[in-house]
Amino acid sequence: MAFSYQGKRVIVTGAASGMGAATVAMLTECGAEVHALDIAPVDASVAGSHETDCGDPASIDATLAKIGGTIDCLFNIAGVPQTHPPERVFGVNFLGLRYLTEAVLDGQMSEGGAIAHVASKAGSGWRNHLPAILDVLATDDVPAGAAWAGANLAEQGD
């Protein structure tokens, strides 16, 4: 086996389907202790399956408290398609995953841990929105990011 995650504790968001489910399968095969997060049930055999709304900081906090301990890797794969309202897409795909990442980094990430973010092809247009991206990155927390979204998402188009 080319990779070993033996003894590694990992979190995978969006773990119930698609790329998230495939990542869970690969990581468990490589020996990882996988904690799967999704709003949908996760069918895989994992150390922990946590019903978590990645757009809700309280849901994220509750899940991290249940998982406890040190996290070696975080795989942010959760994503809401643009068929949902823009605030929900932004709330999960950026604000929530940013919140989760910062929370893990703020006390649960092991020394030398790793974080991977997966985005759809829609993310490839980021250069067209660089000024807006820099503005939202300057926000301090989820409420500030949500306020930015309320004031600016409509003019962003896609």
Side-chain angles (χ1 to χ4, degrees), residues 24-141:
V24 166
M26 183 176 59
L27 288 167
T28 55
E29 184 178 313
C30 291
E33 176 190 320
V34 176
H35 292 272
L37 281 57
D38 208 304
I39 59 171
V42 175
D43 293 330
S45 178
V46 292
S49 178
H50 307 277
E51 184 178 325
T52 307
D53 179 349
C54 286
D56 178 5
S59 183
I60 292 168
D61 287 340
T63 297
L64 289 177
K66 285 180 196 171
I67 294 171
T70 301
I71 301 301
D72 297 301
C73 301
L74 170 60
F75 294 85
N76 278 324
I77 303 172
V80 176
Q82 291 179 328
T83 55
H84 290 259
E87 293 79 10
R88 176 71 176 154
V89 174
F90 189 73
V92 171
N93 297 7
F94 176 72
L95 292 177
L97 297 181
R98 175 185 179 183
Y99 182 85
L100 172 62
T101 301
E102 290 174 348
V104 169
L105 284 171
D106 193 33
Q108 282 185 271
M109 183 62 70
S110 66
E111 181 75 25
I115 299 170
H117 296 274
V118 176
S120 70
K121 187 177 180 204
S124 65
W126 66 270
R127 285 179 189 89
N128 299 331
H129 301 281
L130 188 56
I133 290 169
L134 294 174
D135 281 348
V136 76
L137 286 174
T139 61
D140 291 329
D141 53 24

Side-chain angles (χ1 to χ4, degrees), residues 9-25:
R9 296 182 81 226
V10 304
I11 293 175
V12 179
T13 67
S17 64
M19 290 185 287
T23 301
V24 166

